[in-house]
Amino acid sequence: MRRTGTSVDPLWYKDAVIYEVPVKSFCDGNGDGIGDFEGLHSKLDYLQSLGVTCLWLLPFFPSPLRDDGYDIADYFSIHPSYGTLEDFKQFLDAAHARGLRVIVELVLNHTSDQHPWFQRARSAPAGSPERDFYVWNDTDQRHKEARIIFVDSERSNWTWDDEAKAFYWHRFFHHQPDLNFDNPVVVTELLTVLDFWLDLGVDGFRLDAVPYLIERDGTNCENLPETHAIIKTVRAHVNKRPSPPLLLAEANQPPADVRAYFGDGDGDECHMAYHFPVMPRIFMSLHLEDREPIVDVMERTPGIPENCQWAMFLRNHDELTLEMVTEDERDYMYLAYSMDPQGRINVGIRRRLAPLVGNSRPRIELLNALLFSLPGTPILYYGDEIGMGDNLYLGDRNGVRTPMQWTGDRNAGFSKADPAGLYSPVINDPVYGFPAVNVESQESDNASLLHWTRNMIRLRQHFKVFGRGSIDFLRPANTKVLVFTRSFEGDTLLCVANLSRTAQPVELDLRAYAGATPVETLGYTEFPPIGELPYFLTLGPYGFYWFELQRPHG
Ligand code: NOJ
Ligand code: CA
């Protein structure tokens, strides 16, 4: 079997395992109660030993933090709570020295209302170049077809500005005015931002909220051709670099619309895009104990250019979004995964992985096995490798952004500060609290989720086919079992997963592989060779197998 590639491979992102980490939440190096680059730097050994190969850092720029840093006030610096540019450089060099890549956020759709561009714009005369950095109108009646995204907190995509005596456009919070991408100077300024971070050595960018760059009358102002033209400009710009950075699109859209963010031809927009359509359907399949939601959405997902890759995820720093499912599906998802109305926000569920699945270890393992075996590059959310919980009493999405739980000591070993001074309380309930769930205790427990996760990352990294291969679904009669093969350059893996809480038999038509021997990859156990007859397997509750199909030599 082909092993994963070297670090100089331009397609490195296809073989990557990405770890999403908010600097603020990971480790506090200077004891002020807020995580920082010094702390993150000190935990690189942990990340390396976990086996992840790329870190995705949430926004760490100067910001009033009214949307946790997605409201940027200065694109060229570091929020003082997180350290200095020098600290960032030292962290980046240390990450690179360990072979870890680092991707950062490019929040290009909007800025904070505290950004000097907006402060300048609101006081500049209407029609002036300064005013023209943002999107203004005399009334709030334009672009009515555009949905409101943060439905729990915003009533309109327009907000009146008393100083400008005009309404400004914003797709997210009212304190996040949208930049005007019809103004070429705005595009040039953002290219300067890209260059700044590229010169420092970052390996890529997550393009936040990328469908909303351009507005046009009579449209829903999403995925417009003019928006794609801007992304093509960004790609062409970064392509001038000797080793172009990764561009990762955040576009929460139906399959065909997400596909568009890879661009045309050989892929002239983003290298990667999150597979938003499949994420909720993994949870739907688990709840229904039926493979159909996953198979259906995967088969509706258009092909992507050779050098492109899906980004797969189960959870992240936002709510588990249900925007892209039907109303009926949304209803049963809320019932299944968030009986407590406190867990709902906007159109989604603000919970971490472990609480979503009732802290069931078999379900956590099954979902991770799917994350690691479906086509694409997996992204793990910090803390999910130890089964951290959430805190529904914290507002907005802060309940899933609590301090990383390192030890059973004060502040979960996250910080030496007075507990009252932490940026957020640590989780301290009897089930998920830091005395019960922490890295240190899981390191010394061979049966822990941490060891399991580490082992699965290693196993996945052993087979290039996971990151690069095609997928074919089998359709055995038992619909509680999801079965697919992954193939790449003559190698084939057979993945079988029981989505139900009870043991299941399955009969597979594997005649195409007659003569091959399935070798179970976790134990390297040979199963009986495949012949012309149906191949029988039984799976325990939520059980799964990854088989290497070894063909006879000669
Ligand atoms: C998507 C980010 O993931 C989310 O956290 C943020 O609030 C919005 N974009 C607005 O930037
Ligand atoms: Ca600190």
Side-chain angles (χ1 to χ4, degrees):
M1 277 264 170
R2 277 149 195 80
R3 307 306 179 208
T4 53
T6 61
S7 55
V8 289
D9 187 337
L11 297 181
W12 62 269
Y13 46 89
K14 289 204 166 206
D15 305 317
V17 176
I18 301 177
Y19 189 85
E20 175 187 356
V21 56
V23 178
K24 171 185 88 170
S25 310
F26 210 54
C27 181
D28 175 13
N30 67 355
D32 68 352
I34 306 170
D36 43 44
F37 278 105
E38 187 189 332
L40 181 59
H41 190 152
S42 73
K43 295 297 185 187
L44 285 173
D45 286 347
Y46 168 77
L47 293 166
Q48 192 177 17
S49 90
L50 184 59
V52 300
T53 62
C54 178
L55 309 179
W56 152 30
L57 306 186
L58 296 189
F60 49 70
F61 315 96
S63 159
L65 301 180
R66 296 178 72 191
D67 184 13
D68 214 358
Y70 284 97
D71 46 335
I72 294 179
D74 173 5
Y75 284 98
F76 299 102
S77 182
I78 307 281
H79 191 292
S81 295
Y82 309 149
T84 62
L85 261 182
E86 196 46 44
D87 295 333
F88 175 78
K89 277 193 238 165
Q90 285 178 11
F91 151 78
L92 190 63
D93 290 347
H96 285 162
R98 287 170 166 78
L100 289 167
R101 310 241 180 197
V102 177
I103 62 181
V104 302
E105 293 274 350
L106 182 70
V107 185
L108 69 180
N109 178 66
H110 47 265
T111 67
S112 160
D113 60 4
Q114 300 306 304
H115 195 289
W117 291 340
F118 189 73
Q119 292 301 326
R120 195 176 70 175
R122 68 196 333 183
S123 57
S128 64
E130 291 81 12
R131 177 73 71 97
D132 204 30
F133 262 52
Y134 294 85
V135 182
W136 302 93
N137 203 44
D138 292 340
T139 75
D140 58 359
Q141 295 304 305
R142 208 170 170 188
H143 307 316
K144 291 298 256 188
E145 299 86 343
R147 70 191 162 121
I148 292 165
I149 296 169
F150 286 165
V151 283
D152 284 5
S153 33
E154 299 296 334
R155 289 281 158 268
S156 167
N157 287 324
W158 293 105
T159 289
W160 174 255
D161 187 67
D162 226 11
E163 200 174 334
K165 301 278 180 264
F167 288 93
Y168 61 89
W169 178 250
H170 53 86
R171 291 310 299 268
F172 295 93
F173 288 122
H174 62 275
H175 53 75
Q176 286 165 313
D178 275 35
L179 285 163
N180 174 16
F181 277 86
D182 281 321
N183 180 350
V185 184
V186 167
V187 180
T188 312
E189 290 284 356
L190 284 165
L191 295 179
T192 315
V193 172
L194 279 160
D195 285 338
F196 177 82
W197 294 99
L198 285 173
D199 290 344
L200 284 172
V202 306
D203 300 286
F205 299 90
R206 170 188 185 267
L207 273 51
D208 180 68
V210 79
Y212 316 109
L213 302 186
I214 296 268
E215 302 74 36
R216 288 290 176 266
D217 289 329
T219 74
N220 67 359
C221 301
E222 302 187 12
N223 313 316
L224 297 179
E226 295 88 339
T227 289
H228 284 286
I230 304 278
I231 305 167
K232 288 183 204 299
T233 305
V234 170
R235 176 64 178 269
H237 182 76
V238 300
N239 267 4
K240 292 183 206 143
R241 300 251 161 186
S243 34
L246 168 74
L247 301 180
L248 164 57
E250 193 232 0
N252 182 6
Q253 300 286 330
D257 292 322
V258 189
R259 161 65 184 85
Y261 289 90
F262 294 113
D264 303 313
D266 295 342
D268 57 0
E269 294 188 27
C270 294
H271 307 79
M272 288 181 66
Y274 297 94
H275 206 315
F276 271 104
V278 77
M279 185 277 296
R281 288 176 176 85
I282 293 176
F283 289 93
M284 281 156 63
S285 273
L286 181 72
H287 171 65
L288 297 174
E289 304 197 342
D290 192 313
R291 64 175 181 245
E292 209 39 45
I294 296 177
V295 176
D296 174 65
V297 77
M298 292 304 291
E299 294 198 334
R300 280 192 293 120
T301 302
I304 61 177
E306 197 53 36
N307 55 353
C308 291
Q309 178 80 328
W310 289 108
M312 305 297 278
F313 65 105
L314 296 168
R315 292 297 303 113
N316 61 21
H317 63 291
D318 290 327
E319 68 274 28
L320 190 174
T321 163
L322 298 174
E323 283 168 309
M324 297 299 142
V325 304
T326 66
E327 247 171 70
D328 286 352
E329 290 168 340
R330 202 172 296 149
D331 287 348
Y332 79 67
M333 286 289 284
Y334 278 134
L335 285 178
Y337 291 108
S338 183
M339 279 301 276
D340 184 346
Q342 284 248 82
R344 305 176 194 176
I345 188 174
N346 297 319
V347 189
I349 302 171
R350 50 184 193 130
R351 304 224 70 168
R352 268 188 179 269
L353 183 62
L356 271 174
V357 297
N359 205 26
S360 153
R361 177 77 181 264
R363 276 186 265 181
I364 293 174
E365 292 186 1
L366 173 73
L367 291 184
N368 276 306
L370 297 178
L371 173 72
F372 289 149
S373 58
L374 286 167
T377 290
I379 304 182
L380 292 173
Y381 186 49
Y382 88 100
D384 281 351
E385 73 275 26
I386 55 170
M388 262 172 67
D390 47 41
N391 180 348
L392 291 184
Y393 297 95
L394 301 176
D396 200 351
R397 293 147 290 172
N398 296 324
V400 300
R401 303 173 180 181
T402 60
M404 179 69 179
Q405 294 169 199
W406 295 104
T407 70
D409 301 336
R410 178 165 54 119
N411 300 329
F414 160 78
S415 169
K416 292 205 165 25
D418 177 337
L422 299 187
Y423 79 87
S424 155
V426 291
I427 302 283
N428 203 3
D429 64 64
V431 178
Y432 301 102
F434 66 93
V437 176
N438 66 70
V439 170
E440 187 180 59
S441 63
Q442 294 200 16
E443 288 285 9
S444 57
D445 171 5
N446 282 334
S448 67
L449 182 61
L450 177 60
H451 278 289
W452 181 88
T453 308
R454 192 177 274 155
N455 199 25
M456 291 303 284
I457 293 174
R458 290 274 183 285
L459 185 60
R460 176 191 156 102
Q461 292 305 77
H462 213 60
F463 299 107
K464 207 166 180 173
V465 59
F466 280 130
R468 310 245 179 171
S470 57
I471 185 165
D472 285 295
F473 289 99
L474 278 70
R475 293 180 184 270
N478 186 347
T479 59
K480 293 184 190 300
V481 184
L482 173 70
V483 191
F484 53 88
T485 54
R486 302 290 317 276
S487 305
F488 180 67
E489 294 183 348
D491 294 334
T492 301
L493 286 178
L494 170 68
C495 303
V496 188
N498 176 7
L499 302 166
S500 93
R501 67 199 65 204
T502 54
Q504 295 295 327
V506 69
E507 233 178 77
L508 301 177
D509 177 356
L510 293 178
R511 279 173 296 177
Y513 304 98
T517 300
V519 178
E520 197 282 324
T521 54
L522 265 171
Y524 226 68
T525 308
E526 281 193 15
F527 272 52
I530 299 167
E532 294 296 326
L533 296 175
Y535 198 86
F536 288 101
L537 288 170
T538 50
L539 296 108
Y542 302 118
F544 68 91
Y545 297 123
W546 293 347
F547 293 109
E548 183 177 340
L549 297 186
Q550 289 188 349
R551 295 198 171 75
H553 296 291

